[in-house]
Amino acid sequence: MIPDLFHPPSEIRIGVIGLGYVGLPLAVEFGKQLPTLGFDISSKRIEALKQGRDHTRGVTGEQLAAASQLSFSASAEALSPCNTFIVTVPTPVDEHNTPDLTPLRQASQTLGAVLKNGDVVIYESTVYPGATEEICVPELEQASGLTFNVDFFVGYSPERINPGDPEHNVTNIVKVTSGSTPVTANHVDALYRRVVTVGTHKASSIKVAEAAKVIENTQRDVNIALINELAMLFHKLGLDTEEVLLAAGTKWNFLPFRPGLVGGHCISVDPYYLTYKARQIGFHPEMILAGRRTNDGMGNWIAETTIKFMIKRGMAVKGARILVLGLAFKENCPDLRNTRVVDIIGELKSYHAEVDIYDPWIDAAEARQEYALEVLTETPAKATYDAVILAVPHREFVIEGAAAIRSYGKSAAVLFDVKSALPAAMADLRL
């Protein structure tokens, strides 16, 4: 048995690296119980949090204030007193859908500079099986001069945050945990059980925990792809997809997936991490990649279907004014990462339509910086548009209602309700 080299609970000092949708809520929960430092390379982000403001809307000012032992810093030196580190940085893909582990490598290098004997580094970022020990550990060893599983230890506990979902949070989602040694695994599991009230699931190895995380969203992606394909088929057959799904859903074991755009930093990204590793070992995952192709093509299909419907009504497409409601990757969330609404917009513009975008949740400056898109900052003008696409059904749009949304358009305007958020009779098109 490896001796317990870790600090006793009374001496644990936590450092959370990366304060986005995942890291901040976690830091807040730990900060209620233990000395916790939230670290982020963005000094702007740190200053806002110090003032009690979270632009992701994942944590309120009151919740920040309740974490009495939580502090923030953009200085890596401030991490030095910590002995348990939790890495929650993004793991995106590049333009070729290849995993980009740059943020993970850089975070590991930063931690390596402050790592000490007996310290534990826990990774939460989604990766392919093996990445923690193959990529992160060597960075830690090189930067620190310490030896893995002798001087320092590593755990992996994949994040399960669902942005924009107030019902499922850090405390009430079962947490998968793992460690590089049996003692490490016990230590990591006990640490998370302090804040996760519904319990944990201790995996037998880091690789098992990594694989469990990456298939969670891969499974969802493939299932949504199936429903998206069915939606396109039912459109050709003149059937309402939502009506068909409701009928099929009366059977107890029918899975309640719905069609739609698949963007964001998880479902549309994680499958590429798994397929990347699969190809490394000579395995070609056909179903996973087929699902990705289907979901990545939905934005173009929505735009093309809108254009075809306009043509059937005798409407001119070139120069037509089209309003897209919603730009975030999902409803009731300001996150613009990998939003597939941009595919709808790009395809509409390829037909020389004039596209306006309105989304009360997102930061217009971020949309300009990330996608070179201008977003309306005020409510759209009434009776102006030839087509209206409700791409993201934020609660504001749903409360506003179908009649009000239709009023943005001219008398013969086309309304496409992408997520079937409005009564069926009120929309001309829906998935």
Side-chain angles (χ1 to χ4, degrees):
M1 175 68 72
I2 298 174
D4 189 344
L5 303 178
F6 307 125
H7 305 274
S10 61
E11 296 180 9
I12 292 177
R13 298 184 62 88
I14 294 177
V16 178
I17 294 81
L19 299 176
Y21 290 87
V22 174
L24 181 61
L26 188 67
V28 166
E29 292 304 321
F30 276 120
K32 295 175 182 178
Q33 300 187 31
L34 297 165
T36 303
L37 175 74
F39 169 81
D40 199 282
I41 59 175
S42 170
S43 56
K44 181 180 178 181
R45 173 71 163 154
I46 293 299
E47 288 306 311
L49 291 174
K50 286 181 177 179
Q51 296 171 21
R53 294 184 288 107
D54 170 28
H55 77 272
T56 71
R57 306 194 197 185
V59 174
T60 66
E62 291 76 14
Q63 290 171 321
L64 284 169
S68 59
Q69 300 187 66
L70 175 61
S71 59
F72 300 103
S73 179
S75 170
E77 294 179 0
L79 290 165
S80 296
C82 300
N83 50 45
T84 302
F85 304 94
I86 303 176
V87 180
T88 61
V89 297
T91 43
V93 293
D94 63 18
E95 65 274 17
H96 305 296
N97 292 322
T98 301
D100 180 5
L101 296 174
T102 302
L104 206 55
R105 289 181 181 275
Q106 292 176 340
S108 299
Q109 293 163 4
T110 297
L111 287 181
V114 298
L115 210 56
K116 307 173 294 299
N117 284 332
D119 285 357
V120 181
V121 182
I122 304 167
Y123 290 90
E124 289 211 1
S125 306
T126 302
V127 291
Y128 53 79
T132 299
E133 290 158 298
E134 296 167 8
I135 304 297
C136 302
V137 166
E139 296 285 1
L140 292 171
E141 286 188 313
Q142 182 175 357
S144 67
L146 301 176
T147 302
F148 174 50
N149 278 345
V150 175
D151 303 315
F152 72 91
F153 304 85
V154 168
Y156 184 78
S157 182
E159 59 90 2
R160 280 179 164 172
I161 293 294
N162 187 24
D165 181 357
E167 294 183 9
H168 300 94
N169 53 49
V170 172
T171 64
N172 63 20
I173 302 174
V174 174
K175 201 81 162 69
V176 174
T177 66
S178 64
S180 56
T181 68
V183 171
T184 310
N186 290 337
H187 175 78
V188 172
D189 194 68
L191 181 67
Y192 279 103
R193 277 191 278 110
R194 296 179 67 118
V195 296
V196 181
T197 57
V198 294
T200 58
H201 176 92
K202 186 169 61 174
S204 63
S205 69
I206 287 176
K207 282 187 178 180
V208 168
E210 291 170 326
K213 169 56 183 176
V214 79
I215 71 166
E216 288 176 15
N217 287 322
T218 299
Q219 182 190 65
R220 292 180 65 195
D221 191 45
V222 171
N223 276 286
I224 295 170
L226 170 62
I227 303 302
N228 275 335
E229 191 167 88
L230 291 174
M232 291 186 283
L233 169 61
F234 292 151
H235 176 75
K236 284 185 172 294
L237 293 174
L239 294 171
D240 183 85
T241 303
E242 179 68 9
E243 187 177 356
V244 174
L245 292 176
L246 288 174
T250 58
K251 190 180 181 189
W252 76 92
N253 59 354
F254 185 81
L255 301 179
F257 287 94
R258 289 296 184 270
L261 299 170
V262 183
H265 64 294
C266 289
I267 301 180
S268 62
V269 172
D270 295 358
Y272 289 122
Y273 274 75
L274 188 57
T275 56
Y276 171 80
K277 185 63 176 180
R279 286 166 164 169
Q280 280 189 332
I281 61 172
F283 182 81
H284 185 69
E286 295 182 8
M287 182 178 291
I288 298 172
L289 290 172
R292 281 280 73 236
R293 287 192 295 271
T294 296
N295 287 341
D296 277 348
M298 289 309 294
N300 286 350
W301 185 86
I302 290 167
E304 290 170 0
T305 301
T306 303
I307 294 297
K308 289 178 181 177
F309 199 88
M310 292 173 65
I311 293 172
K312 285 181 179 179
R313 284 194 170 175
M315 303 169 70
V317 173
K318 185 176 182 180
R321 297 197 63 183
I322 301 178
L323 174 64
V324 175
L325 295 174
L327 183 60
F329 90 88
K330 65 181 292 188
E331 58 268 26
N332 308 321
C333 172
D335 196 347
L336 286 175
R337 287 178 294 176
N338 201 33
T339 174
R340 302 282 33 106
V341 180
V342 298
D343 298 335
I344 299 176
I345 296 166
E347 187 67 11
L348 291 174
K349 288 183 176 181
S350 74
Y351 287 92
H352 303 288
E354 297 179 12
V355 183
D356 284 347
I357 310 159
Y358 179 63
D359 190 324
W361 278 78
I362 62 99
D363 182 346
E366 184 181 356
R368 187 180 304 114
Q369 179 179 348
E370 293 297 321
Y371 300 107
L373 292 174
E374 294 297 327
V375 179
L376 297 176
T377 55
E378 297 182 356
T379 305
K382 302 291 185 180
T384 300
Y385 299 95
D386 300 291
V388 178
I389 300 177
L390 178 56
V392 187
H394 293 307
R395 65 174 65 99
E396 289 87 344
F397 297 146
V398 176
I399 292 172
E400 190 177 14
I405 290 174
R406 270 204 169 277
S407 71
Y408 296 127
K410 300 172 184 176
S411 58
V414 175
L415 174 57
F416 198 138
D417 178 12
V418 171
K419 292 290 289 289
S420 298
L422 307 175
M426 297 300 293
D428 299 297
L429 298 165
R430 59 184 199 157
L431 277 181

